[in-house]
């Protein structure tokens, strides 16, 4: 309690470095006590104060702060680090939201997934959509499966796997068509580890088709091994 009292006293310090330190330190305390400080800090002029506040709100999984940060003021901010922190916060908070609330996030996240130029922000967007198991979300994810950013495509494969329905698994074939063999290998590996008779049947049908198309001999061997 003494440490929290000191932190609260320091929150209005005129030194921006102190405010940055406060924003980063809030994760050690109760969300309901820190939320007002962090939301107020989102209005600061210093980008790093904003970035650290967004990061802390995400770590604290502050559902009540979502309406304050889920807008283009932060998601489309001029600072890459602020945009990245905002989407990462959304992804963290999405994990603890109700399905209805998650679904309300989809359209704006979809737009940012396409519009943002930062790889980490887009990967965070894919992670956020992994919690939004709707057809709209799956279609939006699938449109990015040919992107040249290998880590982004892998994160999209992860999101589609997390949805764990036949339609999402079928869409992974987009990654299996990727020009980079590392992406194809990742898609094959993730698909091969799916459980459940229904999903495994989808994967088997996919792999039968891929055996006729895949040109990489090592990857063909992977597919054959799964079929045995």
């Amino acid at each position: 309690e003494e440490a929290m009292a000191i932190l609260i006293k320091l929150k209005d310090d005129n030194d921006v470095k102190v405010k940055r330190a406060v924003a980063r330190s809030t994760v050690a305390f109760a969300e309901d006590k820190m939320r007002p400080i962090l939301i107020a800090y989102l209005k600061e002029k210093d980008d790093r104060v904003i970035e650290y506040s967004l990061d802390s709100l995400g770590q604290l999984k502050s559902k009540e702060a979502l309406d304050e940060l889920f807008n283009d003021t932060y998601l489309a901010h001029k600072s890459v680090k602020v945009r990245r922190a905002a989407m990462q916060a959304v992804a963290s908070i999405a994990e603890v939201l109700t399905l209805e609330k998650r679904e309300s996030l989809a359209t704006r996240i979809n737009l940012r997934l396409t519009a943002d130029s930062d790889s980490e922000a887009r990967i965070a967007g894919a992670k956020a959509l992994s919690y939004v198991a709707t057809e709209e979300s799956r279609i939006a994810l699938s449109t990015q499966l040919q992107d040249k950013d290998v880590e982004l495509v892998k994160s999209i494969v992860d999101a589609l796997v997390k949805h764990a329905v036949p339609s999402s698994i079928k869409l992974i074939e987009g990654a299996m068509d990727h020009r980079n063999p590392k992406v194809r290998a990742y898609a094959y590996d993730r698909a091969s580890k799916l459980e459940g008779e229904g999903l495994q049947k989808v994967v088997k049908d996919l792999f039968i088709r891929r055996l006729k198309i895949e040109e990489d001999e090592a990857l063909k061997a992977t597919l054959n091994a799964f079929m045995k």
Side-chain angles (χ1 to χ4, degrees):
E1 290 187 8
E2 182 180 351
M4 185 168 68
I6 294 171
L7 189 75
I8 291 172
K9 185 177 180 180
L10 289 172
K11 70 181 176 63
D12 295 321
D13 196 285
N14 290 328
D15 188 339
V16 71
K17 292 182 180 179
V18 173
K19 289 183 176 179
R20 291 173 184 172
V22 169
R24 300 183 81 172
S25 300
T26 54
V27 294
F29 303 98
E31 183 274 337
D32 62 327
K33 302 294 184 183
M34 297 297 104
R35 186 195 326 133
I37 298 172
L38 294 169
I39 289 176
Y41 275 6
L42 294 181
K43 309 302 180 186
E44 290 284 330
K45 294 181 180 179
D46 182 70
D47 287 352
R48 289 174 69 181
V49 171
I50 298 171
E51 175 196 347
Y52 297 156
S53 298
L54 289 165
D55 183 61
S56 291
L57 287 167
Q59 290 189 58
L60 291 167
K61 298 188 186 298
S62 182
K63 295 185 290 185
E64 290 77 4
L66 184 63
D67 290 341
E68 300 290 338
L69 64 89
F70 189 63
N71 56 66
D72 282 350
T73 299
Y74 308 108
L75 295 173
H77 197 277
K78 66 182 187 301
S79 165
V80 170
K81 290 184 177 180
V82 170
R83 296 201 309 274
R84 187 183 297 162
M87 189 59 83
Q88 288 171 343
V90 171
S92 295
I93 295 169
E95 184 178 3
V96 297
L97 296 177
T98 63
L99 179 59
E100 182 180 3
K101 186 64 176 179
R102 289 176 184 177
E103 290 178 355
S104 71
L105 307 178
T107 299
R108 177 168 274 127
I109 296 174
N110 293 346
L111 291 172
R112 296 310 309 161
L113 192 65
T114 303
D116 208 303
S117 58
D118 179 65
S119 176
E120 289 187 42
R122 297 176 76 201
I123 288 170
K127 181 180 179 181
L129 289 178
S130 75
Y131 298 109
V132 186
T134 64
E135 198 61 29
E136 176 192 4
S137 175
R138 288 190 278 275
I139 291 171
L141 287 164
S142 69
T143 62
Q144 307 299 313
L145 283 170
Q146 290 300 311
D147 197 278
K148 63 182 180 180
D149 185 332
V150 169
E151 295 308 312
L152 170 66
V153 179
K154 287 181 178 180
S155 71
I156 292 172
V157 170
D158 290 341
L160 291 170
V161 165
K162 191 174 181 66
H163 284 200
V165 294
S167 62
S168 69
I169 305 310
K170 289 176 183 177
L171 289 171
I172 293 174
E173 188 168 15
M176 296 174 184
D177 274 330
H178 201 279
R179 59 189 173 277
N180 190 319
K182 290 182 180 179
V183 171
R184 302 202 302 277
Y186 189 79
Y188 293 146
D189 181 66
R190 294 290 278 126
S192 69
K193 293 176 180 175
L194 284 163
E195 298 179 353
E197 186 177 344
L199 296 183
Q200 287 181 346
K201 183 181 185 305
V202 173
V203 173
K204 184 176 180 180
D205 290 343
L206 271 177
F207 282 11
I208 289 172
R209 184 158 63 251
R210 298 306 307 173
L211 275 169
K212 299 174 183 177
I213 302 170
E214 179 59 61
E215 296 179 352
D216 187 290
E217 291 301 322
L219 294 181
K220 287 181 77 171
T222 298
L223 293 171
N224 274 314
F226 175 82
M227 300 299 291
K228 290 179 180 178

